[in-house]
Amino acid sequence: MTPEQSTIVEHRIDVEGIDPLLFTGVNDTNMQEVSRIFSIRMILRGDHVILSGDLLAVEQAAPVVQHLVELSRLRVPFDSTDISRFAEGFSVHGDRGVVTPDDSMGIALPGTRKVIRPKSEGQRRYLTSILDNDIVIGIGPAGTGKTYLAVAAAVDALYKKRIKRIILVRPAVEAGESLGFLPGDMQEKVDPYLRPLYDALEDMMPTDRVRRSIEDMTIEIAPLAYMRGRTLSDAFVILDEAQNSTTAQMKMFLTRLGMNSQVVITGDKTQIDLARRKDSGLLQIEDILSKIDGIQLIYLDDMDVIRHRLVKAIIRAYARSDSEGDS
């Protein structure tokens, strides 16, 4: 056999008990994605899925397919983007590269039939930290689920009556001094900057309940500047896009924490919109708060990106560009 030749093998995996449509995807898109990533053939036949191709490729594909089988048996949905992430996770970290489904980590949202689970090891650590600490600081790039998981935990705490209200906060730094030129009252001026928080809520709660909760102030969505002088008790408070808060604003926000309250701060250090990067309150609290008991910093990276597979590639491309620019 010449070095250019490869060993073609066939490997069977038991799939008894799976949800067939969930496993294969609509029009077999999931199986096609596995075949594309590993350059193998994948056929579902009876109670087995058959992988055939180059020995090394089949060995790399087998644990990924086994993971898909486990998800399908548990009726946990996944798509082609997830499959790509599973493949990279196994390649880089082995068995530690993917999260095994765990019902104890799922957040079931009444009225939506959704169960939100961490989809990466980083997300698992992040969600566990939110459950175990009064203040959690989640730092990472776009698409890693920082805000989404925090909002899910807040909604869960509200449904279970552990807190009485949810307060979602964002700096409106992009508006700057141009706010006065925007139409409407102050709330209407800042609403576009708070829209991502509304979107997350509406994905987790029935629309009419979101509306009623905002009307009766059970849920409050406000610019960071509105927090000054307040004491936030019996609340789950999320400061989103914290990289755009100043050091003074961050100190003001953190000292609002009242009794029976929890704070989650999320931010991306690569997307600071302040005039001077060093003025970011998120950068400062990394050093100031890192050793305080009850405050947990969690770092997410491109391995935790859940959006379109190209988002991960874009993040890495910018990271390489920044690295080359600094050298």
Side-chain angles (χ1 to χ4, degrees):
M1 182 180 292
T2 65
E4 289 78 15
Q5 291 177 316
S6 60
T7 303
I8 303 301
V9 299
E10 187 175 280
H11 180 65
R12 291 172 175 260
I13 296 176
D14 180 18
V15 296
E16 186 177 2
I18 65 166
D19 180 322
L21 181 58
L22 180 58
F23 179 75
T24 62
V26 177
N27 296 323
D28 294 339
T29 52
N30 291 340
M31 299 210 313
Q32 291 171 13
E33 182 68 5
V34 173
S35 298
R36 182 192 69 80
I37 293 172
F38 296 103
S39 299
I40 63 171
R41 291 186 66 202
M42 181 175 174
I43 301 172
L44 182 62
R45 186 170 294 162
D47 286 337
H48 290 85
V49 63
I50 303 170
L51 312 180
S52 59
D54 176 73
L55 173 61
L56 180 59
V58 170
E59 287 179 342
Q60 292 172 336
V64 176
V65 175
Q66 185 63 57
H67 187 63
L68 302 183
V69 170
E70 293 171 4
L71 294 177
S72 299
R73 284 173 174 155
L74 293 170
R75 302 327 192 242
V76 176
F78 56 87
D79 56 26
S80 58
T81 300
D82 293 321
I83 294 171
S84 178
R85 183 165 43 81
F86 297 154
E88 184 171 6
F90 274 111
S91 174
V92 176
H93 299 292
D95 291 342
R96 297 181 297 106
V98 297
V99 174
T100 301
D102 181 353
D103 288 340
S104 67
M105 287 298 295
I107 297 176
L109 299 173
T112 64
R113 296 185 179 179
K114 283 190 175 183
V115 178
I116 296 176
R117 293 183 176 90
K119 291 191 172 184
S120 69
E121 185 57 35
Q123 287 194 352
R124 182 196 288 274
R125 288 187 288 105
Y126 178 56
L127 191 54
T128 299
S129 294
I130 291 175
L131 298 176
D132 293 342
N133 295 274
D134 289 334
I135 298 179
V136 173
I137 303 163
I139 299 175
T144 51
K146 304 182 301 294
T147 303
Y148 193 80
L149 288 175
V151 172
V155 171
D156 184 54
L158 183 65
Y159 275 130
K160 293 178 178 176
K161 301 188 184 301
R162 292 199 297 263
I163 47 98
K164 295 181 180 178
R165 53 184 175 154
I166 297 172
I167 302 175
L168 307 176
V169 184
R170 254 193 174 203
V173 67
E174 300 93 337
E177 295 180 355
S178 63
L179 271 177
F181 297 96
L182 295 174
D185 59 23
M186 183 56 69
Q187 190 63 46
E188 291 171 327
K189 293 175 192 289
V190 300
D191 267 357
Y193 302 98
L194 306 174
R195 187 69 245 174
L197 297 174
Y198 286 103
D199 291 342
L201 276 175
E202 290 170 357
D203 194 46
M204 299 177 195
M205 300 174 66
T207 303
D208 59 336
R209 175 151 190 178
V210 173
R211 178 181 51 78
R212 290 196 309 270
S213 297
I214 291 175
E215 288 174 353
D216 64 19
M217 299 299 286
T218 301
I219 296 177
E220 179 181 355
I221 305 176
L224 178 58
Y226 285 23
M227 297 298 106
R228 186 172 298 279
R230 299 179 59 181
T231 299
L232 307 177
S233 301
D234 295 309
F236 196 118
V237 190
I238 300 172
L239 172 57
D240 193 34
E241 298 289 341
Q243 74 275 4
N244 289 328
S245 65
T246 65
T247 54
Q249 287 176 325
M250 181 63 77
K251 180 180 179 181
M252 176 272 292
F253 172 78
L254 287 168
T255 52
R256 300 306 94 202
L257 185 63
M259 300 299 293
N260 190 39
S261 288
Q262 184 173 2
V263 167
V264 176
I265 297 170
T266 71
D268 179 356
K269 294 191 293 183
T270 68
Q271 296 192 26
I272 296 175
D273 297 321
L274 299 172
R276 297 193 308 170
R277 176 181 173 84
K278 66 179 182 180
D279 290 337
S280 171
L282 182 66
L283 299 182
Q284 187 183 55
I285 62 174
E286 276 190 283
D287 297 324
I288 294 178
L289 305 182
S290 61
K291 296 181 180 179
I292 297 179
D293 186 39
I295 299 179
Q296 184 74 45
L297 274 81
I298 298 293
Y299 292 90
L300 302 168
D301 57 29
D302 53 75
M303 289 293 294
D304 303 302
V305 171
I306 307 301
R307 292 179 184 169
H308 192 287
R309 62 182 178 83
L310 289 178
V311 173
K312 186 180 298 186
I314 291 168
I315 290 169
R316 289 175 176 171
Y318 271 100
R320 285 194 299 271
S321 176
D322 292 342
S323 178
E324 291 166 0
D326 293 338
S327 59

